[in-house]
Amino acid sequence: MTTPQDNHAEAQAAAPMVSVRDLRVTFSGGGKTIRAVNGVSLDVAPGEALALIGESGSGKSVTLRALMRLHPPRRTRMEGAIRIDGADVMALDARALQRLRGGTVAMVFQEPLLALDPVYTVGQQIIECIRTHASVSASEARQRALRALESVRIPSPERRLAAYPHEMSGGMRQRAMIALALSASPKVLLADEPTTALDATVQIQVLILLRELQRELGLSIVFVTHDIGAAVEIADRVAVMYGGRIVEEGPIRTLLRAARHPYTIALLQSRQHGMDRGQRLQTIAGSPPDLAALPPGCTFAPRCPHARPACLAQVPATTDLGQGHRVSCILASEPAVAEAAA
Ligand SMILES: Nc1ncnc2c1ncn2[C@@H]1O[C@H](COP(=O)(O)OP(=O)(O)OP(=O)(O)O)[C@@H](O)[C@H]1O
Ligand SMILES: [Mg+2]
């Protein structure tokens, strides 16, 4: 017999806010084909935060931008399925896509100066955003803009409403950008390294703020970062990307305790070996794969201390280790080897 709670739990499990299946993104130009994303699948539940982590060039930003179809269509081939809040993103026309961007889905990028227009005050921009996505009076929009600035803990919000972006510190601008992103009451926040341009103390404050807002507003967050420390601060789950694929995924605590993919293990070790918060991950021997000439097998095999001939032959299947912990590595079924790697 099923109880109402079971039904509720089932409905939650059955209806992720963001759902991606076998996403592939290929860029062409200059006689080359760059396979930046090669079969990414992920689900984010309502109110859940997922961090995408991995080295530079692993396809984190391309994946995030693809969710909103932000890549120039002429040079980009996109395949796979993307559903956000029930909408089939791949099938949306330009107007519906525009409504989704900045409406249901808010985006925050690394450099707030790029998102904030220098010739308008912060208040004008937030009010404009509110009025684009909701039919409210000018005074109601102003009230909401004030509340948005208050919600990101900006001191003297009245005064900040009249400030231009260049009149604010980096941390304040980042908060103003988050306020702008949240002013249209989104359900999903896509954030691409929103804190790496900030100094360490401000970074932590902004991360804590994002976490609080996520809890208050029940936001689903997909958060891109190089920084495992930032992922720990924000994420419920982590997806580790390498060569445009998710090689391991699971609850953050599980990955910290029991990572199974040699790449994840190397990534965690590179952090333990003195990597400070905010620094780029550079300490894994070897170089990232050439996305214009991907090998047929596991993309990490050429750098993997445990690689065998089978790893070079075909892309490893994904093993489900339970509790949302999945890993794409043939070693996953051999705990002794995985433990030796750790
Ligand atoms: N518009 C484009 N045209 C061609 N190649 C691209 C384009 N955008 C990204 N790439 C390539 O796709 C790969 C993945 O890039 P992406 O920006 O997703 O990496 P990333 O994981 O976000 O790295 P970083 O941590 O440095 O931000 C890179 O090799 C990049 O050069
Ligand atoms: Mg990036």
Side-chain angles (χ1 to χ4, degrees):
M1 204 180 84
T2 57
T3 66
Q5 283 89 342
D6 288 338
N7 288 341
H8 180 68
E10 257 170 43
Q12 288 251 315
M17 181 58 70
V18 178
S19 172
V20 176
R21 287 293 170 274
D22 204 20
L23 178 68
R24 288 165 198 274
V25 183
T26 313
F27 301 109
S28 50
K32 268 194 177 177
T33 302
I34 309 279
R35 295 183 201 289
V37 177
N38 300 294
V40 160
S41 297
L42 54 87
D43 286 321
V44 187
E48 186 182 43
L50 172 74
L52 299 180
I53 69 169
E55 279 175 309
S56 195
S58 55
K60 306 180 297 292
S61 298
V62 172
T63 300
L64 199 76
R65 296 175 71 80
L67 296 185
M68 283 288 89
R69 283 175 44 202
L70 287 171
H71 297 293
R74 266 191 338 119
R75 297 195 307 113
T76 314
R77 190 181 150 92
M78 271 184 51
E79 294 163 275
I82 302 170
R83 292 193 83 81
I84 298 183
D85 195 23
D88 177 354
V89 175
M90 294 294 245
L92 294 181
D93 63 22
R95 271 191 62 195
L97 201 54
Q98 210 52 50
R99 269 204 307 274
L100 195 67
R101 295 175 187 155
T104 306
V105 182
M107 289 170 285
V108 178
F109 296 106
Q110 190 169 352
E111 186 31 76
L113 279 179
L114 296 178
L116 294 168
D117 193 324
V119 303
Y120 295 102
T121 65
V122 165
Q124 284 168 329
Q125 295 180 58
I126 297 177
I127 289 167
E128 155 90 14
C129 174
I130 290 168
R131 299 198 77 188
T132 308
H133 294 281
S135 49
V136 294
S137 68
S139 67
E140 169 64 19
R142 190 170 185 284
Q143 279 311 311
R144 288 196 193 181
L146 259 183
R147 284 205 299 275
L149 289 184
E150 277 164 11
S151 75
V152 296
R153 330 282 190 251
I154 285 187
S156 3
E158 268 300 338
R159 214 151 44 84
R160 299 296 178 172
L161 223 43
Y164 288 90
H166 69 266
E167 295 174 324
M168 295 180 150
S169 68
M172 280 304 145
R173 268 204 298 269
Q174 194 60 263
R175 283 165 195 261
M177 182 165 75
I178 294 168
L180 178 64
L182 298 180
S183 59
S185 309
K187 296 180 179 171
V188 178
L189 177 67
L190 305 179
D192 195 347
E193 310 217 44
T195 61
T196 39
L198 305 172
D199 75 50
T201 327
V202 183
Q203 265 193 44
I204 295 171
Q205 289 170 357
V206 171
L207 289 174
I208 291 170
L209 170 68
L210 279 176
R211 188 65 170 159
E212 286 172 0
L213 290 172
Q214 183 217 354
R215 296 219 170 109
E216 275 167 33
L217 307 174
L219 278 175
S220 299
I221 298 183
V222 185
F223 173 79
V224 167
T225 183
H226 276 86
D227 182 348
I228 293 161
V232 171
E233 211 72 63
I234 287 271
D236 301 299
R237 276 191 305 126
V238 173
V240 181
M241 290 196 70
Y242 189 82
R245 295 191 182 111
I246 293 176
V247 296
E248 183 161 15
E249 154 182 20
I252 176 88
R253 313 254 156 246
T254 307
L255 285 209
L256 288 177
R257 205 185 57 239
R260 293 291 278 279
H261 197 288
Y263 176 64
T264 314
I265 292 166
L267 205 61
L268 292 171
Q269 276 172 349
S270 74
R271 174 171 181 255
Q272 279 154 11
H273 292 166
M275 195 197 78
D276 290 328
R277 175 179 265 292
Q279 281 191 354
R280 308 238 137 188
L281 297 160
Q282 292 168 328
T283 43
I284 301 171
S287 40
D290 178 359
L291 298 173
L294 278 184
C298 170
T299 29
F300 189 60
R303 293 169 83 181
C304 180
H306 308 284
R308 309 161 178 186
C311 302
L312 304 171
Q314 62 187 35
V315 178
T318 300
T319 305
D320 196 332
L321 300 167
Q323 245 100 69
H325 187 190
R326 283 182 281 275
V327 58
S328 301
C329 174
I330 61 169
L331 301 184
S333 52
E334 299 169 37
V337 184
E339 269 154 32

